[in-house]
Amino acid sequence: MCLGDHTDWKMMAILETGALMENQFEDNTSHFLSILIFKLCLNGLVVLATHCSLRKSFIGYFCLSLFFADFLLFCSAGSIWLLKNPGDTPGSLCFVLSHFSTVYSLLPVPVLILGFLDHFVNLSSSAYPVPSKRAVLYCAEMMLVWAFAVFYTIQNNDSQVHEATLSNNKLALLCPIHGSQTSTFFCLALILLIVWVGITSWQLVPTLCKAISNMDLEEDPQPTVLQSDLPFFHKSPPKQQRSLAVSSLALAQGTRKQLLLSITLGFSINWITFLLVNSISLLLDLAIPSYMSFNLLWLLCVNSFFIAIIYWYKSDHLGTTHSFPDDICRWSFYKHVSREIFPASQSSLPHGIYSVYGQEQKEGLLV
């Protein structure tokens, strides 16, 4: 139970409520515990579904640390509720909620920076188990991020309980807690980016959607490898054929645009519901504390987005996509779709075959 903007804080948590002329207050600790139980159950389902990819990247390692931090938050609030003392419960619960919310509100920015750098450098070698040196680096970065957030919170956080009168003439004990605007604004930015890509490539969207609906999502396409035991000799084609290099550059740019659309559609199919829920909560100015908005699903969404961007940028160098640290999106499938549905123009390719003697062969060679 939270209220929106109050003084310099993003929101205030309602710890207890009671009548003005009475000394009896209604404890809301059970409401906070029910919310934390829901988050723990969601965390458990997410970890079970994505445990293979969580041990391949920095974001995956941080997901595991956040899982234990959420459990620690639940245990702290639960112990206060079980061992409650009517005079000390509001202050103790406010101390826990305020400090955890401040810590969680500081985490998104460093996680975004370190997660992007990790994928940019190591996306092509995200096999499990990760090298021991990289695992140690992930753990060190993770502990530094948590240590920075905890140290800043201890030095600057205010967990004093405030009294206020609600609109229904009830007295309330309020606790200042932080929200995470970075998390919600990031989701809104992704929505706008998806819309922009769709508008710039709207002619190709119907064809791509129809193709995806007709293809098998269960099987990852395997590239066809052509082999020959014959020796290969190469001779440069005539000058008039060298102009193909210029046209191939334009063809490559068109292929990258089609791949971007395919990857964007693949990302949207998996994450559009989550992004819309977070964006609507931001537009409606709903009071959501940071220990709820900063969660495993948000981290996995960030992970998929970074993989999509870097995969598109380095698509010519990454090769296979089966080792990517993502169990949500099937990137190999959508790259296959972009190649099958939007094939390269055959008119720009040479129609003749040049032999080792430099003469053009109009008829195919039998090998």
Side-chain angles (χ1 to χ4, degrees):
M1 301 178 64
C2 299
L3 296 177
D5 297 326
H6 183 89
T7 64
D8 295 332
W9 298 89
K10 176 62 178 178
M11 62 193 70
M12 302 289 285
I14 304 176
L15 303 178
E16 294 184 357
T17 56
L20 290 175
M21 304 302 297
E22 300 178 2
N23 292 327
Q24 295 181 354
F25 285 86
E26 179 183 355
D27 188 6
N28 293 323
T29 307
S30 58
H31 297 283
F32 293 103
L33 289 177
S34 61
I35 294 175
L36 294 177
I37 289 175
F38 170 78
K39 187 181 182 183
L40 286 179
C41 294
L42 183 62
N43 287 348
L45 293 176
V46 171
V47 171
L48 288 176
T50 62
H51 66 279
C52 293
S53 63
L54 292 183
R55 296 167 289 178
K56 294 181 178 180
S57 65
F58 169 77
I59 294 181
Y61 273 64
F62 203 89
C63 284
L64 297 177
S65 70
L66 183 61
F67 178 84
F68 290 108
D70 289 339
F71 183 74
L72 179 61
L73 172 60
F74 171 76
C75 292
S76 301
S79 62
I80 294 173
W81 182 69
L82 292 175
L83 306 174
K84 61 183 176 181
N85 186 338
D88 298 335
T89 299
S92 301
L93 183 61
C94 182
F95 179 86
V96 171
L97 295 180
S98 180
H99 279 75
F100 269 90
S101 66
T102 306
V103 170
Y104 278 47
S105 66
L106 298 173
L107 296 176
V109 173
V111 170
L112 288 174
I113 296 174
L114 294 176
F116 179 81
L117 292 177
D118 173 53
H119 281 327
F120 190 84
V121 175
N122 301 314
L123 187 60
S124 59
S125 57
S126 301
Y128 177 79
V130 297
S132 56
K133 293 183 179 179
R134 194 189 305 172
V136 172
L137 177 62
Y138 290 159
C139 293
E141 292 174 342
M142 182 180 62
M143 289 188 292
L144 285 176
V145 171
W146 281 106
F148 160 76
V150 171
F151 179 78
Y152 178 88
T153 300
I154 293 175
Q155 297 295 324
N156 300 278
N157 191 56
D158 177 21
S159 57
Q160 182 179 359
V161 178
H162 301 267
E163 292 186 0
T165 303
L166 302 180
S167 58
N168 55 1
N169 293 326
K170 285 189 176 183
L171 183 64
L173 300 181
L174 305 179
C175 176
I177 59 177
H178 282 288
S180 178
Q181 293 185 348
T182 303
S183 303
T184 49
F185 275 110
F186 184 83
C187 294
L188 181 60
L190 289 187
I191 290 287
L192 297 178
L193 181 61
I194 291 172
V195 172
W196 176 78
V197 173
I199 292 176
T200 55
S201 306
W202 64 270
Q203 304 95 332
L204 305 177
V205 172
T207 304
L208 186 61
C209 292
K210 183 179 179 180
I212 291 177
S213 63
N214 294 332
M215 298 184 71
D216 187 6
L217 284 169
E218 299 298 329
E219 297 183 359
D220 286 331
Q222 301 294 335
T224 303
V225 179
L226 300 179
Q227 298 180 348
S228 174
D229 56 353
L230 297 179
F232 175 76
F233 301 94
H234 172 72
K235 183 177 179 62
S236 300
K239 294 183 179 180
Q240 62 268 23
Q241 294 294 333
R242 295 176 184 174
S243 61
L244 290 175
V246 178
S247 61
S248 63
L249 177 60
L251 183 62
Q253 294 176 347
T255 303
R256 289 178 63 83
K257 181 178 180 181
Q258 296 155 4
L259 179 60
L260 176 62
L261 176 61
S262 180
I263 289 177
T264 302
L265 186 59
F267 176 82
S268 305
I269 290 175
N270 292 279
W271 290 109
I272 191 63
T273 303
F274 175 79
L275 295 176
L276 286 176
V277 170
N278 283 270
S279 301
I280 291 174
S281 67
L282 175 64
L283 297 177
L284 297 180
D285 197 22
L286 299 181
I288 301 178
S290 60
Y291 52 79
M292 291 303 298
S293 59
F294 184 73
N295 50 61
L296 295 188
L297 283 179
W298 185 84
L299 287 174
L300 293 179
C301 180
V302 170
N303 180 67
S304 296
F305 172 71
F306 285 163
I307 291 177
I309 292 297
I310 297 172
Y311 180 31
W312 171 77
Y313 181 75
K314 296 184 175 182
S315 59
D316 297 333
H317 309 286
L318 288 178
T320 179
T321 64
H322 297 284
S323 63
F324 283 178
D326 189 358
D327 290 330
I328 307 298
C329 300
R330 308 291 290 273
W331 300 116
S332 58
F333 173 81
Y334 292 106
K335 184 173 184 179
H336 175 71
V337 169
S338 67
R339 288 179 173 178
E340 292 294 329
I341 305 306
F342 308 112
S345 175
Q346 300 298 325
S347 60
S348 60
L349 300 179
H351 299 282
I353 300 176
Y354 290 87
S355 67
V356 295
Y357 303 104
Q359 299 177 352
E360 182 180 3
Q361 303 292 330
K362 295 298 182 179
E363 298 181 357
L365 300 178
L366 298 178
V367 293

